[in-house]
Amino acid sequence: ASQLPSFSAHKVPRWSIATQEIVYPPVPWIQAFMGSGKVLPIWRGGGIDQPLFWDFGRQVAAGGWAHVFPEARVVQSGLLGRDAITKRTEEEQLEKGLLKWGVGKLIAHSPCPPVVIPFHHYGMAAILPQHNRWEGDNYNNNVVTWKRLGTGHKIKVWWGDRLTFDDLISEHEKEHGPLWKISTDACNEENWQIAMAKFKSREEDKPLYSAITRRIEEALLKLQNQATQDLKIVPDLKIRAWCPRSRQAMAHKNSRTPPPE
């Protein structure tokens, strides 16, 4: 119900990004709902240099309210950044982290330091669950249906303190010079080509993206632990913290047992 005002007050909701094949299916009312909610489609697999991500960065640069899922996909295992389709190995997770670096890039190149507030929620696994499935020996968790919405459930949100990154950015710029900042100016074709060339990630900037993202990851893991403990102390049967099929898929992946029917 809280989303309904977005149809009549388009400036109120936050901007967000989501995988285009999930949030913009060929269903007119869903496309209208997502568009009015200021959700921009993103190309999964297109990386952090794609033009769609730059468009989102312009909203952040303009001081817009933005909502980012730094896992870069829907994860309903109840574990930050980890499920059956996690591609990073345990070693890579330790080296690169659990989250994607796109959020770090947005913050690094914003002309004004954005106000970053981490939050963790449980409950969507019951209200809009992934109807995931096995396809041969591969697990497809991209299957979301709007036809079987869960009812009678709750969502609970845990909020963290504001995060700042001035120290990381200042240290980086001392060594590598000033970072290019995303402009909110209107672009013609020539300026757009120049902007895209500048938006391409430099190798020397990637460690900064990683450091910023790591700080966010630490805050989210702290909130996840708090949320888990709170629900243990005061259980609520109307709050589903994870999707059972997602946990089953993780167990299959780790044990190499035959996938469940």
Side-chain angles (χ1 to χ4, degrees):
S2 63
Q3 291 290 327
L4 293 180
S6 64
F7 286 93
S8 58
H10 189 67
K11 293 183 179 180
V12 175
R14 82 290 177 268
W15 287 95
S16 189
I17 50 178
T19 306
Q20 56 191 10
E21 65 266 24
I22 292 179
V23 298
Y24 282 94
V27 181
W29 75 266
I30 296 177
Q31 294 179 354
F33 180 79
M34 287 296 179
S36 67
K38 297 165 72 171
V39 178
L40 299 178
I42 201 77
W43 171 32
R44 178 179 286 177
I48 60 175
D49 296 338
Q50 62 176 292
L52 292 169
F53 198 60
W54 175 76
D55 286 337
F56 185 63
R58 281 165 54 84
Q59 305 304 326
V60 176
W65 175 20
H67 177 196
V68 178
F69 294 90
E71 296 164 303
R73 67 181 187 279
V74 177
V75 177
Q76 292 191 351
S77 65
L79 303 170
L80 183 69
R82 288 176 288 169
D83 59 11
I85 67 167
T86 298
K87 295 181 179 180
R88 292 178 181 174
T89 64
E90 292 290 338
E91 292 76 15
E92 289 173 332
Q93 289 176 31
L94 290 173
E95 177 188 354
K96 299 180 179 180
L98 299 171
L99 309 179
K100 304 299 185 181
W101 293 353
V103 64
K105 181 171 184 174
L106 288 175
I107 294 168
H109 295 285
S110 178
C112 296
V115 176
V116 179
I117 306 295
F119 69 94
H120 178 89
H121 66 80
Y122 278 142
M124 283 302 294
I127 295 174
L128 188 61
Q130 294 171 285
H131 297 280
N132 32 41
R133 62 181 178 232
W134 288 95
E135 297 174 350
D137 196 43
N138 296 317
Y139 187 69
N140 181 359
N141 82 332
N142 297 336
V143 185
V144 175
T145 176
W146 294 76
K147 297 179 180 179
R148 289 181 282 172
L149 297 178
T151 58
H153 301 282
K154 293 181 181 178
I155 297 175
K156 188 170 182 178
V157 182
W158 287 259
W159 298 92
D161 297 325
R162 177 182 178 179
L163 301 178
T164 58
F165 310 93
D166 294 345
D167 58 323
L168 300 177
I169 294 174
S170 177
E171 181 180 351
H172 178 81
E173 291 188 324
K174 284 180 181 178
E175 181 175 355
H176 299 287
L179 288 161
W180 174 76
K181 300 300 182 179
I182 299 173
S183 173
T184 59
D185 295 340
C187 283
N188 55 31
E189 181 67 24
E190 181 180 358
N191 291 340
W192 184 83
Q193 295 290 347
I194 295 174
M196 287 297 94
K198 291 182 177 180
F199 192 60
K200 184 174 177 58
S201 301
R202 302 186 305 172
E203 287 301 315
E204 58 265 36
D205 292 338
K206 291 180 180 179
L208 174 63
Y209 304 161
S210 175
I212 292 173
T213 306
R214 282 282 195 175
R215 185 166 292 181
I216 295 172
E217 178 182 316
E218 292 170 2
L220 290 175
L221 284 173
K222 182 178 178 181
L223 289 174
Q224 176 182 280
N225 292 335
Q226 178 187 339
T228 301
Q229 290 301 316
D230 288 351
L231 290 181
K232 284 183 179 179
I233 296 170
V234 184
D236 191 331
L237 296 179
K238 292 187 176 181
I239 299 176
R240 182 182 294 174
W242 61 77
C243 172
R245 286 180 61 83
S246 183
R247 286 289 182 93
Q248 292 170 6
M250 290 183 70
H252 159 65
K253 178 181 178 181
N254 294 332
S255 66
R256 301 296 182 180
T257 59
E261 296 296 332

